[in-house]
Amino acid sequence: YQRRVHGGITVTSDVEMAQRRDRGKDRKERAAGHRGFALDKQFGQHLLRNHLLINTIVEKAQLNSTDIVLEVGPGTGNLTVKLLEQCKKVIAIEVDPRMVVELNKRVAGTPLASHLQIIHGDFLSIELPYFDVCVANVPYQISSPLVFKLLAHRPAPRQCVLMFQREFAMRLVAQPGDELYCRLSVNTQLLARVEHLVKVSRKSFRPPPKVDSSVVRIQPRNPPPPINFLEWDGLIRLCFTRKNKTLGAIFRKSAVLEMLEKNFRTFCELNCLPVVEPLNTACVVNEVLTSSGLSDQRSGKLTQDDFLRLLAAFNDAHVHFC
């Protein structure tokens, strides 16, 4: 290219301008994607590039040579390859067809190829195969449904080592009294033991997300607690509508009492029980809260045992939440 100077002003030729645009485009593609294609925000794609962190995740997974590992969103396979070196088989579920091609290319012609099964599809829509351990850099927008689909899977996996957006991860491990303690905390900890493993800088990804991440270990309780989870979740959902209000204040609301009365009538109909009119749902609810000693307590400070005791007391009084 050629630069011309007129009156002290440098004029850039059209050729140089085109070359600059091409170089800028190349830099953007390298920053945003992999091998010339941009990553898709729809799928929450952020490729894990920190090899020290990848080794740490595989180590925390405590894999056996006979394990079948489920990976969700393998991307281009940085984590997948390390998993394949430690276990019998990796089943990778990937929704993006471009990543499926890249992952197949990466293992093609190597001994690892025969130990990798790639399922092209949406994790939330497919029936999961058998697996011993789940290890994944989780697409952030499916974090909550992914956790509960894994916890509902039977037979239950030995453990799941998963990377989430940091705030979501801290909600999973939050304890009573913590600011982030919520319905997600209570429901997850009912079904599993949850442990925070390591904080992850956003710089560990390409492109970097806006927030840091964390890796957690989730170990499903086996056998699961012998309660109706829909009943349980109905109670927890109600209690955490205003977690800093007392339970007495929450259950005095007319909309809540109307819902509980409707549930009671449905329960009686399904079980061929007579309904004695007039119903006094408010009195029954108040008696349960008072006798359990929880009327003046706030959901944000209650333990698993407190909620279990409360649900049992309500069910004994034929008060149901689903």
Side-chain angles (χ1 to χ4, degrees):
Y1 58 84
Q2 181 179 5
R3 292 185 178 181
R4 302 187 301 275
V5 180
H6 296 281
I9 300 176
T10 301
V11 180
T12 305
S13 69
D14 291 342
V15 174
E16 183 181 5
M17 290 296 292
Q19 289 175 338
R20 286 184 178 180
R21 284 195 296 270
D22 289 341
R23 288 195 297 269
K25 183 179 179 181
D26 289 343
R27 284 194 297 270
K28 288 180 180 178
E29 287 180 346
R30 287 196 300 271
H34 179 79
R35 297 184 183 176
F37 59 78
L39 298 181
D40 198 328
K41 291 183 178 179
Q42 173 189 351
F43 301 137
Q45 291 174 335
H46 298 279
L47 301 183
L48 183 58
R49 64 176 187 176
N50 184 328
H51 294 288
L52 181 61
L53 175 62
I54 290 172
N55 290 336
T56 299
I57 292 173
V58 174
E59 178 187 341
K60 296 293 186 182
Q62 302 170 333
L63 298 177
N64 300 320
S65 59
T66 56
D67 280 339
I68 297 175
V69 176
L70 180 73
E71 185 184 9
V72 184
T76 56
N78 291 338
L79 178 58
T80 314
V81 170
K82 289 295 182 182
L83 292 171
L84 285 167
E85 295 172 356
Q86 301 293 325
C87 66
K88 177 182 178 181
K89 180 180 180 181
V90 171
I91 302 172
I93 301 177
E94 177 57 63
V95 69
D96 188 341
R98 301 172 306 167
M99 295 299 181
V100 172
V101 172
E102 287 295 318
L103 188 52
N104 272 317
K105 285 181 181 178
R106 184 158 186 173
V107 299
T110 73
L112 300 178
S114 62
H115 299 279
L116 175 63
Q117 176 187 351
I118 304 176
I119 299 176
H120 177 210
D122 179 3
F123 171 84
L124 298 179
S125 302
I126 66 174
E127 183 178 350
L128 299 182
Y130 172 86
F131 61 96
D132 300 294
V133 178
C134 179
V135 183
N137 170 24
V138 178
Y140 292 157
Q141 71 270 30
I142 66 168
S143 296
S144 185
L146 177 141
V147 167
F148 289 102
K149 181 166 184 173
L150 290 174
L151 290 175
H153 184 67
R154 296 294 178 269
R158 187 169 74 246
Q159 65 176 348
C160 306
V161 175
L162 308 171
M163 181 148 49
F164 297 109
Q165 194 175 77
R166 179 160 176 79
E167 182 175 326
F168 182 88
M170 299 315 292
R171 289 182 185 276
L172 287 175
V173 301
Q175 297 298 307
D178 292 348
E179 183 180 355
L180 293 178
Y181 188 61
C182 61
R183 175 183 164 214
L184 175 67
S185 318
V186 178
N187 281 347
T188 306
Q189 293 171 33
L190 172 76
L191 300 174
R193 290 176 289 276
V194 190
E195 176 188 2
H196 181 269
L197 296 178
V198 61
K199 183 178 179 181
V200 180
S201 167
R202 67 195 77 180
K203 296 178 182 179
S204 298
F205 302 89
R206 183 182 62 202
K210 295 180 180 179
V211 296
D212 291 335
S213 303
S214 279
V215 179
V216 300
R217 176 183 287 121
I218 298 176
Q219 295 176 301
R221 300 187 189 279
N222 196 9
I227 66 170
N228 182 328
F229 185 75
L230 292 179
E231 275 278 316
W232 168 270
D233 186 49
L235 171 65
I236 301 304
R237 183 193 298 269
L238 185 58
C239 289
F240 277 91
T241 52
R242 295 288 186 273
K243 73 173 185 179
N244 292 320
K245 282 193 171 185
T246 65
L247 294 182
I250 292 173
F251 280 90
R252 277 197 297 269
K253 291 185 176 181
S254 58
V256 173
L257 293 172
E258 289 172 7
M259 179 207 56
L260 295 179
E261 181 173 323
K262 180 180 177 181
N263 288 351
F264 175 74
R265 293 182 183 279
T266 301
F267 173 80
C268 290
E269 182 178 347
L270 292 175
N271 291 276
C272 301
L273 297 175
V275 177
V276 180
E277 303 286 359
L279 291 177
N280 193 343
T281 307
C283 182
V284 173
V285 168
N286 183 63
E287 183 178 341
V288 169
L289 291 174
T290 302
S291 61
S292 64
L294 296 174
S295 182
D296 295 326
Q297 300 299 311
R298 290 168 170 77
S299 303
K301 297 184 182 300
L302 296 183
T303 66
Q304 291 279 337
D305 288 343
D306 291 330
F307 285 119
L308 287 168
R309 183 160 53 90
L310 182 61
L311 180 61
F314 272 126
N315 287 172
D316 287 345
H318 301 305
V319 177
H320 294 274
F321 297 90
C322 69

